[in-house]
Amino acid sequence: MPFARIGQKSWKSGQIVPRIPKRCFSKAAICRQSGQTSSPLDAETHDVVIVGAGAAGLALASALTRPSSSARSCRIALVEASDLSKVREWSLPSDQYSNRVSSVTNRSLSFLKTCDLHSHLNQTRTNSIQEMEVWDGVSDARISFRASELLGREHSTNMSTMMENLNLQRSLLKTLQSNSSIILLDKTKVDSIAKPNDDANSWPLITLDNGRVLRARLLVGADGFNSPVRRFAGIDCYGWSYDTQAVVATLFHPSRSTGNTTAFQRFLPTGPIAFLPLSPTISSLVWSTKPHIASSLRSVHPDVLSLMINAAFRLPQISLQYLYDYISEKGRDGLQVERNELADEIRWREAAHSIQPYSALSSTSDKQGDISEGFDLLPPLVEHIQAGSVASFPLRFNHAETYLGEGLGSRTVLVGDAAHSLHPLAGQGLNLALGDVEELASCIDDAISHGIDFGSRTALLPYVRNRYFENHKVMSAVDKLHKLYSSQLPPVVWARSVGLEVVNELDSLKTALMLSAGADSRTTPNPWNAAADGVTLVNNGIEFLKTGASVISGTVGSAVRNVLKV
Amino acid sequence: MRTVTRIALGTTRSVRGRCSPAMAIARMNHTSSINPDEIAHFSRLSASWWDEQGEFGLLHKMNPVRMQFIRDKLLEISHEEDAENVRNGGILEGKDALDVGCGGGLLSESLARLGARTLGVDASLSNINIASLHASSDHWLNGLEYRHMPAEDLVKAGRQFDIVCSMEVIEHVDNPANFLRSLAHLVKPGGHLFMSTIARTPLSYFLTIFMAERALRLVTPGTHTYSKFINPSELLELFQEDLGWLSRSYHGTPPRTEAEIQGIAYLPWKGAWALLPKTTPGSMECNYMFWARKPLQDDGKHTT
């Protein structure tokens, strides 16, 4: 499975706060009453009002205005609370990277190309992923994906493309600015959304904080996972917080003779740690782990964090647990973790695990390099971390009950994080959002060419039908993977490891997995189907074990069941 | 003429016993095909025209398929006549369109959105009010007008249109043969007539009356009257023998450039209607779309 980075996080350092509530909406409540809103007569009428100019909002605006779209003559307004000039003028020296990056699948990329992404995308800052190494932190069971071997000549040798979110957004924004049918309203918050006279059939009125009132045939909530548009539409959302934070950073490391086109992910019981290549010597980290470990990792010196990252890809779980405790105890006592002390500790632990200094598994020896056997199964050793790039954000699972408002919330539709947010371990957040946008744009197109009002439920229902279950499958597969790999219980570890190794031997199944994860730019059906089915199978096995365990012994059985709650 | 009589016979008896003051007025107007019971029935339901999940939900879902049929047929004919000048985008642009029995204006709005100067007429005043109110909120509907009048009044006024549509109407009128003659008059020579209706078969009884009205209550019971349903062959015979629009037919199939019939069906697993391939057995046994083109040269076979 491809992995990657996601998330609503600032490209500046520090704790990342979910961006939406502050960004898009002022404090005023989202009200449905018409009392204080202006009458429809004062309102500017638009065909589409998109709230939120993140990747999803920008991509939708681009898709609707591309030359092939029937919607290109529509009046479209894009409302964004933050200052878009920061995105437009974003630029970093070539040796620095934003810590907010995404893995864009080939399918998503070919859609973005139809939106003229490439005329403004800085392609020197993108990097293709051609191989993936995924392994179990407890059993070391491993699965390898190589695009060149599995997909054959007729396919691209890319599995996906890593790019900084700001690179993507800047490119879409520049394309949009050359288009006069789009009205960009940045530094503007939405004060309230209402239906005049509480009439469900009327068009929503969006009052902005500068007093402007927009009347919308269709209101699109692309406003992130705390979506105020979703709240206005009265759409419930179900989900939970994982007891997990993702730590991200931009990592510097020596170049390798084999290039830097492999993504690595190790499933630790505390959560997966991923290494995503951005350039020959720079990669991005996404380390999902328990909140207390995440906060110690964020508070230590970046050099100490480098050692921890190298160890986390290599040391057995028991030693990692010791290292987590070590740095958090120091932090609790108000002491600095010394780089040398930690290096000594790791060296001692490597010796205790019989890891030879020249082995690829050693992270403290300078004898290690491209010559070590199996070096390409592990990521390059991190030397240092880009200043200010360390940050963390909480992980959630959230899925709106529907993507389409009803009654007073009619003419409202949700895309991207406003509709769903998921664990970043498969790097599917942005790709699901782009899938939504592509489908919604095609629904709107279809409605226009048949003379149908595209704000109507009839026109939008195919969007929900085609996306909801599709997204749900991917989301629950990812969720179950997370839970499956959180366990250290021997039967679970055994079952998942055997499953992984068996899959690793079956090239055709691996090809199917890669294609369904979006590696093929041509086909559209069933992303993650195979993955979802595979996980369901393993899950069923565990259900079976659960039953067995409870029969065998009463008290032990119930403890096992608790742990096995997948 | 034999067929025409059959159509008329099949529909003279009103199965329902509703009576209203409008009935008396309508009786005086002998030229009108309007059935006062039907008008009262749809007037009662008029408020729910634009509730897409209510009474007319299935009709809302049918609309894209009707428009697809209309657009594709117009494109096909314009391609046939002038292959070099086909305007894929605006095939309805600038055309005069009439929607007879427009109801809440579902089809009229779509025609107007695609650029046709559209007139919607309906015998129910409350339908016209609902349709006008709804259209007033959409800035794309400038070329749309509604009037409360029977189609026969437009015939008297000598109006003619490039495109005349009458969707799901003929199975609700009293004298379908007369109604069709009126529609035929309203089409300009070389213009197009589009209809959709329901065939009179056991399958259509089962689906539209037993299932939709009685079992699933998707539609108010009494909306349809089985005896008023019309089979495709009956329509074709009327257009060939009575109106003279069709030059010939091959085993009941008219020439593709003169008339066409295509079945449509609701596919519950897709939640949408679809045009059925013509080769599907039984595809025209229930809901179907009908198109016919008025000859450029009127050969005078019309009888009024």
Side-chain angles (χ1 to χ4, degrees):
Chain A
M1 291 118 257
F3 11 165
R5 178 70 55 75
I6 36 102
Q8 309 303 343
K9 67 196 189 68
S10 138
W11 55 276
K12 288 184 198 128
S13 63
Q15 174 74 36
I16 291 137
V17 194
R19 63 180 173 137
I20 315 67
K22 284 184 194 151
R23 245 186 42 178
C24 289
F25 276 69
S26 65
K27 274 186 181 169
I30 310 304
C31 62
R32 291 172 165 210
Q33 282 75 42
S34 54
Q36 66 279 59
T37 49
S38 320
S39 79
L41 295 173
D42 308 329
E44 306 164 33
T45 297
H46 291 266
D47 292 307
V48 189
V49 172
I50 304 169
V51 179
L58 289 169
L60 180 63
S62 311
L64 293 178
T65 48
R66 58 192 159 165
S68 61
S69 165
S70 326
R72 66 192 177 281
S73 53
C74 288
R75 279 171 61 97
I76 300 170
L78 186 54
V79 182
E80 166 64 45
S82 69
D83 185 355
L84 284 177
S85 65
K86 283 187 183 151
V87 176
R88 194 179 310 126
E89 284 145 26
W90 171 79
S91 105
L92 280 177
S94 60
D95 59 349
Q96 284 190 29
Y97 277 79
S98 156
N99 59 8
R100 195 179 160 186
V101 301
S102 293
S103 145
V104 179
T105 61
N106 290 344
R107 190 183 307 147
S108 297
L109 201 60
S110 66
F111 163 63
L112 287 170
K113 279 180 185 166
T114 67
C115 304
D116 199 23
L117 174 78
H118 281 61
S119 55
H120 295 287
L121 187 72
N122 182 346
Q123 298 207 44
T124 59
R125 294 182 74 90
T126 68
N127 194 30
S128 73
I129 293 184
Q130 293 166 6
E131 296 97 33
M132 264 189 290
E133 292 287 340
V134 182
W135 70 102
D136 190 324
V138 179
S139 71
D140 281 335
R142 178 178 287 266
I143 186 162
S144 308
F145 295 97
R146 307 211 183 289
S148 53
E149 286 171 21
L150 294 174
L151 295 181
R153 280 231 186 99
E154 71 270 31
H155 295 282
S156 145
T157 53
N158 275 7
M159 291 172 144
S160 66
T161 305
M162 294 302 308
M163 63 179 77
E164 295 155 286
N165 292 1
L166 278 164
N167 191 5
L168 172 66
Q169 288 173 23
R170 181 180 59 180
S171 158
L172 291 171
L173 186 61
K174 283 185 174 173
T175 310
L176 282 182
Q177 274 177 327
S178 56
N179 195 313
S180 56
S181 62
I182 297 243
I183 300 163
L184 282 172
L185 301 166
D186 67 338
K187 291 178 276 180
T188 310
K189 290 173 181 156
V190 173
D191 249 358
S192 64
I193 308 174
K195 283 280 179 83
N197 309 320
D198 277 350
D199 175 9
N201 280 331
S202 61
W203 295 14
L205 294 177
I206 299 106
T207 308
L208 306 177
D209 62 354
N210 57 11
R212 259 171 108 162
V213 182
L214 311 179
R215 184 169 166 269
R217 180 190 298 278
L218 176 63
L219 169 64
V220 182
D223 47 353
F225 92 90
N226 261 331
S227 173
V229 171
R230 186 180 68 217
R231 231 175 310 140
F232 150 74
I235 298 173
D236 281 335
C237 200
Y238 72 93
W240 52 83
S241 296
Y242 291 110
D243 182 25
T244 306
Q245 290 257 331
V247 179
V248 297
T250 305
L251 314 173
F252 297 104
H253 50 80
S255 65
R256 274 182 167 177
S257 54
T258 49
N260 192 21
T261 54
T262 309
F264 298 90
Q265 179 150 294
R266 187 184 192 200
F267 278 93
L268 300 168
T270 47
I273 177 170
F275 188 97
L276 307 161
L278 294 174
S279 86
T281 57
I282 303 174
S283 297
S284 195
L285 169 81
V286 192
W287 186 350
S288 309
T289 190
K290 297 289 167 208
H292 68 276
I293 302 175
S295 81
S296 336
L297 290 172
R298 269 189 52 227
S299 60
V300 296
H301 189 274
D303 288 344
V304 173
L305 179 57
S306 304
L307 291 179
M308 288 299 291
I309 294 167
N310 291 335
F313 277 108
R314 290 165 175 83
L315 283 184
Q317 174 57 23
I318 187 164
S319 286
L320 280 179
Q321 193 55 54
Y322 178 85
L323 295 178
Y324 302 146
D325 294 345
Y326 177 82
I327 59 166
S328 60
E329 256 169 50
K330 287 265 184 182
R332 227 182 359 257
D333 300 343
L335 299 171
Q336 286 289 320
V337 182
E338 294 300 327
R339 185 184 193 284
N340 292 339
E341 271 178 40
L342 184 70
D344 287 342
E345 183 61 45
I346 293 174
R347 202 170 290 124
W348 185 87
R349 299 213 148 251
E350 284 173 356
H353 291 298
S354 316
I355 296 171
Q356 302 300 321
Y358 48 78
S359 153
L361 283 172
S362 166
S363 60
T364 52
S365 157
D366 47 11
K367 290 182 184 127
Q368 202 255 349
D370 282 11
I371 42 154
S372 305
E373 195 192 341
F375 77 95
D376 54 350
L377 298 179
L378 293 167
L381 286 173
V382 178
E383 284 185 335
H384 60 280
I385 291 174
Q386 183 178 308
S389 72
V390 182
S392 70
F393 53 93
L395 301 184
R396 293 190 54 82
F397 178 101
N398 252 328
H399 204 180
E401 285 189 337
T402 175
Y403 301 161
L404 190 56
E406 280 179 21
L408 283 176
S410 63
R411 296 186 177 271
T412 308
V413 71
L414 305 176
V415 295
D417 287 355
H420 42 70
S421 44
L422 71 167
H423 196 291
L425 70 88
Q428 291 295 313
L430 176 69
N431 295 303
L432 291 191
L434 292 173
D436 291 350
V437 166
E438 184 173 10
E439 181 65 38
L440 180 59
S442 105
C443 262
I444 291 177
D445 220 45
D446 209 41
I448 291 176
S449 61
H450 288 97
I452 308 297
D453 174 4
F454 65 73
S456 70
R457 185 181 165 81
T458 309
L460 297 169
L461 215 51
Y463 163 67
V464 184
R465 279 188 169 252
N466 292 333
R467 289 307 297 172
Y468 195 89
F469 186 58
E470 208 60 49
N471 288 341
H472 194 80
K473 265 194 306 202
V474 175
M475 292 170 71
S476 48
V478 169
D479 178 55
K480 292 210 167 76
L481 271 177
H482 169 77
K483 288 175 173 160
L484 181 62
Y485 278 93
S486 300
S487 173
Q488 295 191 67
L489 221 80
V492 181
V493 174
W494 175 82
R496 77 189 182 203
S497 304
V498 168
L500 201 65
E501 307 235 279
V502 166
V503 173
N504 194 34
E505 293 306 312
L506 301 171
D507 279 0
S508 54
L509 182 55
K510 282 204 298 193
T511 308
L513 278 172
M514 278 172 58
L515 291 179
S516 62
D520 188 359
S521 55
R522 297 171 310 170
T523 55
T524 42
N526 302 328
W528 281 74
N529 254 1
D533 294 347
V535 169
T536 313
L537 210 68
V538 176
N539 198 33
N540 288 345
I542 289 168
E543 291 287 336
F544 176 76
L545 288 175
K546 263 163 79 175
T547 323
S550 69
V551 170
I552 293 162
S553 68
T555 43
V556 179
S558 70
V560 171
R561 272 201 310 281
N562 273 332
V563 184
L564 283 179
K565 241 177 202 160
V566 272
Chain B
M1 286 312 292
R2 184 176 44 86
T3 329
V4 180
T5 322
R6 196 162 75 215
I7 294 177
L9 270 178
T11 55
T12 40
R13 283 172 293 118
S14 176
V15 175
R16 271 167 286 133
R18 280 197 229 102
C19 198
S20 69
M23 205 169 176
I25 301 163
R27 279 209 179 112
M28 290 188 282
N29 183 0
H30 292 293
T31 57
S32 174
S33 50
I34 292 166
N35 179 317
D37 282 355
E38 298 275 2
I39 302 313
H41 176 78
F42 283 103
S43 293
R44 268 198 306 278
L45 296 172
S46 63
S48 54
W49 269 114
W50 289 99
D51 176 5
E52 291 175 79
Q53 289 166 278
E55 172 78 23
F56 297 111
L58 279 173
L59 218 51
H60 276 272
K61 288 182 173 175
M62 194 195 273
N63 209 31
V65 180
R66 293 162 165 178
M67 289 304 296
Q68 186 191 341
F69 181 80
I70 292 174
R71 215 188 46 160
D72 290 355
K73 203 64 217 180
L74 292 177
L75 273 173
E76 184 189 325
I77 295 301
S78 100
H79 203 272
E80 194 94 355
E81 291 187 339
D82 190 1
E84 282 162 23
N85 269 323
V86 178
R87 296 175 304 164
N88 269 311
I91 189 72
L92 279 151
E93 203 84 48
K95 297 269 169 59
D96 283 310
L98 171 69
D99 182 10
V100 178
C102 62
L106 271 65
L107 186 89
S108 303
E109 286 197 4
S110 296
L111 293 168
R113 267 192 210 97
L114 291 183
R117 283 187 301 273
T118 308
L119 173 64
V121 298
D122 200 283
S124 152
L125 180 60
S126 53
N127 281 354
I128 289 294
N129 288 339
I130 291 283
S132 308
L133 180 72
H134 190 267
S136 67
S137 67
D138 192 333
H139 57 285
W140 283 6
L141 298 175
N142 292 331
L144 176 59
E145 191 193 345
Y146 289 113
R147 276 198 226 147
H148 174 219
M149 55 156 60
E152 287 80 0
D153 286 8
L154 286 168
V155 178
K156 278 184 211 148
R159 292 285 305 269
Q160 286 199 315
F161 300 82
D162 298 308
I163 296 153
V164 174
C165 302
S166 187
M167 300 295 175
E168 310 293 314
V169 173
I170 192 167
E171 70 270 25
H172 299 289
V173 303
D174 260 355
N175 187 332
N178 274 344
F179 178 70
L180 285 173
R181 288 186 197 108
S182 299
L183 290 187
H185 263 292
L186 292 166
V187 183
K188 284 182 189 168
H192 305 263
L193 175 65
F194 289 94
M195 288 192 291
S196 69
T197 186
I198 305 172
R200 197 173 60 255
T201 64
L203 180 70
S204 73
Y205 178 82
F206 177 74
L207 291 176
T208 62
I209 297 179
F210 183 76
M211 290 303 285
E213 291 187 15
R214 298 196 185 149
L216 302 175
R217 298 269 163 156
L218 295 171
V219 178
T220 302
T223 296
H224 294 117
T225 308
Y226 178 68
S227 58
K228 287 183 160 189
F229 290 173
I230 293 169
N231 286 331
S233 59
E234 295 164 349
L235 273 184
L236 285 174
E237 278 195 53
L238 182 121
F239 275 86
Q240 185 170 8
E241 291 172 16
D242 189 56
L243 295 172
W245 283 23
L246 313 180
S247 54
R248 59 196 181 279
S249 72
Y250 311 97
H251 306 290
T253 309
R256 188 177 51 82
T257 52
E258 295 179 357
E260 184 165 318
I261 285 165
Q262 193 168 3
I264 59 171
Y266 183 72
L267 310 176
W269 57 93
K270 282 192 176 168
W273 290 80
L275 285 165
L276 298 172
K278 279 171 213 134
T279 48
T280 308
S283 70
M284 293 164 201
E285 301 247 307
C286 193
N287 295 79
Y288 64 93
M289 302 290 308
F290 172 88
W291 164 81
R293 190 167 187 211
K294 190 170 185 172
L296 276 167
Q297 297 300 318
D298 208 332
D299 60 6
K301 265 182 151 182
H302 286 187
T303 49
T304 30

